[in-house]
Amino acid sequence: MDTYDIMLYVSYALVGIGAVVSILMPLFKSLDDPKSLLKTGLGVVAILVLFFVCYSISGNEVLPKFESDPFNLTPAMSQMVGGLMITTYVLTIVALVGIVVTEFNKAIN
């Protein structure tokens, strides 16, 4: 095994550990203040509701060239991808509008 391979696997492990710690540590810290967990829970529920709405309005059409190898796309997978894309678009627009409103608010005050 080459040194590059070892370092690559070590970096994978460190990224995994970092991801787990970055998720678990705020949860442990928020156990001191349960109201912060409620706010986080409401945010997660709001994003799930938004995804459900976007998933409901997305189509499930699949072109014949994507039904076979190498894609093997099914109508359910197509609708899931469409729902995720629409959710991403909506969240991006909300973020951009929030940035613009904040900057205008700063300029006025």
Side-chain angles (χ1 to χ4, degrees):
M1 184 176 272
D2 198 15
T3 304
Y4 294 114
D5 292 337
I6 294 170
M7 290 300 154
L8 189 62
Y9 291 132
V10 169
S11 67
Y12 288 159
L14 289 175
V15 167
I17 290 169
V20 169
V21 168
S22 68
I23 292 170
L24 291 180
M25 289 307 289
L27 288 175
F28 292 147
K29 182 69 178 163
S30 63
L31 291 177
D32 298 338
D33 184 21
K35 288 186 180 184
S36 66
L37 279 176
L38 182 64
K39 291 178 186 177
T40 303
L42 287 175
V44 170
V45 168
I47 290 175
L48 288 175
V49 167
L50 175 66
F51 170 71
F52 178 73
V53 170
C54 294
Y55 178 80
S56 298
I57 64 174
S58 67
N60 61 357
E61 301 86 21
V62 179
L63 294 175
K65 67 179 179 180
F66 295 119
E67 288 179 343
S68 60
D69 285 334
F71 301 108
N72 296 327
L73 191 62
T74 63
M77 289 169 50
S78 175
Q79 190 170 12
M80 177 69 74
V81 169
L84 289 170
M85 287 177 61
I86 295 171
T87 302
T88 302
Y89 298 153
V90 169
L91 290 175
T92 302
I93 290 169
V94 168
L96 291 175
V97 168
I99 291 169
V100 169
V101 168
T102 301
E103 291 301 320
F104 277 131
N105 195 12
K106 280 189 201 177
I108 292 172
N109 292 333

